[in-house]
Amino acid sequence: MAHEEDTPKQQSGQEKPVVRRDKVVVTKVTSQELSIIKSNAEQCGMTRSDFIRARSLGYKPRQRLSDTELDGLRQLATCRTDMVNFANALHGLTDNEKIKLFRHQPTMLDWYEKVAYVTNSVTDFLQSAQTVNSYPAGTTNEEAKEEGA
């Protein structure tokens, strides 16, 4: 096989073979195409070479999450923790204590406000994740639309 020649024999104690890439493929692109390639590779957290190799071998690299998306995931994790803590607290109560708690209006209003905040945060994040290619309302700048700002 052709690719076996490119892979040196396994070094002692190493499980994976070392892949030596010594073949070069050259192609010409326009400055605009190069800019797009650089941008796409950067968005995926890859070098241009790795990005082009992945795409040419039929892979579709995923873009890294933006800082906003990462923040949304962190908030979602915090919301989940809050909900688990609440559920655990309820499990520790007897049925009579639960009835007494749920009949206490100030406690229920406080609980509702906290739960509404959590569910609204989850809903906001899920909606933003489903509409990643949209632009903020009120944006009239055509450049901002294309940049996703």
Side-chain angles (χ1 to χ4, degrees):
M1 292 182 178
H3 55 45
E4 286 181 5
E5 297 170 7
D6 293 343
T7 306
K9 292 183 181 182
Q10 293 182 0
Q11 297 175 357
S12 61
Q14 209 177 14
E15 290 184 24
K16 292 184 179 181
V18 176
V19 177
R20 196 176 98 225
R21 292 187 173 96
D22 59 356
K23 308 298 183 230
V24 178
V25 176
V26 179
T27 187
K28 292 184 179 184
V29 295
T30 66
S31 58
Q32 183 182 8
E33 290 170 333
L34 179 61
S35 176
I36 291 169
I37 291 169
K38 284 180 180 178
S39 174
N40 288 340
E42 186 178 306
Q43 289 174 359
C44 293
M46 302 172 79
T47 64
R48 281 183 287 168
S49 181
D50 287 342
F51 180 79
I52 292 169
R53 182 181 312 108
R55 291 297 292 147
S56 64
L57 294 174
Y59 298 101
K60 294 181 181 177
R62 292 181 293 165
Q63 291 185 358
R64 283 188 167 171
L65 296 177
S66 69
D67 290 340
T68 304
E69 291 168 327
L70 284 173
D71 186 49
L73 281 176
R74 286 186 198 104
Q75 288 178 14
L76 190 58
T78 301
C79 291
R80 182 193 176 281
T81 302
D82 290 344
M83 297 301 273
V84 167
N85 289 339
F86 181 76
N88 288 338
L90 283 178
H91 286 297
L93 300 177
T94 66
D95 288 342
N96 287 336
E97 289 172 324
K98 289 177 190 176
I99 291 169
K100 192 175 181 181
L101 175 69
F102 285 109
R103 287 186 179 161
H104 189 249
Q105 188 176 3
T107 301
M108 291 311 299
L109 287 173
D110 184 47
W111 173 81
Y112 175 76
E113 288 174 7
K114 290 177 182 173
V115 170
Y117 171 76
V118 170
T119 55
N120 289 340
S121 296
V122 171
T123 301
D124 290 346
F125 175 73
L126 292 175
Q127 286 176 346
S128 71
Q130 292 171 351
T131 56
V132 252
N133 294 322
S134 67
Y135 57 93
T139 301
T140 56
N141 181 342
E142 291 297 317
E143 263 184 40
K145 287 181 185 178
E146 291 190 12
E147 292 172 5

